[in-house]
Amino acid sequence: MTLYDGKVGGQFRIVGIRLEQFQLTRRLEALGINEMTVVQKLNAKRKGACIIKVRGTRLAIGKHIAQGIEVVSEEEK
């Protein structure tokens, strides 16, 4: 599942980042969004933007980026 598909309020572990732009992947890594990092989806806007919490910091990411981040739910474990 992608981060975009995850439910609001859920906690997810990132298992892969599949984006076309290598520099965008590097920027996400610099912000702490790496594989095996736990993120919480705080909100989702109508046009697709997601607000997430990662390592104590709130970030807003666009729909295209959220669709490129593969996650698994932490609640299932």
Side-chain angles (χ1 to χ4, degrees):
M1 132 174 76
T2 66
L3 185 57
Y4 179 76
D5 298 326
K7 68 175 183 169
V8 173
Q11 286 200 347
F12 305 95
R13 182 171 302 274
I14 298 173
V15 294
I17 299 175
R18 310 219 186 328
L19 297 171
E20 298 169 6
Q21 298 174 342
F22 179 71
Q23 294 164 335
L24 184 55
T25 303
R26 286 295 206 199
R27 179 64 179 145
L28 290 175
E29 289 174 353
L31 292 170
I33 301 174
N34 304 318
E35 289 186 14
M36 303 308 293
T37 301
V38 176
V39 299
Q40 182 179 11
K41 187 172 179 180
L42 300 176
N43 202 351
K45 302 295 181 184
R46 287 187 202 171
K47 294 189 178 184
C50 295
I51 299 172
I52 61 172
K53 186 174 184 178
V54 57
R55 300 180 190 219
T57 303
R58 292 170 42 136
L59 299 172
I61 58 174
K63 178 180 178 180
H64 178 72
I65 296 171
Q67 288 176 328
I69 300 175
E70 296 286 329
V71 297
V72 292
S73 177
E74 281 290 292
E75 286 92 29
E76 294 176 357
K77 293 184 177 184

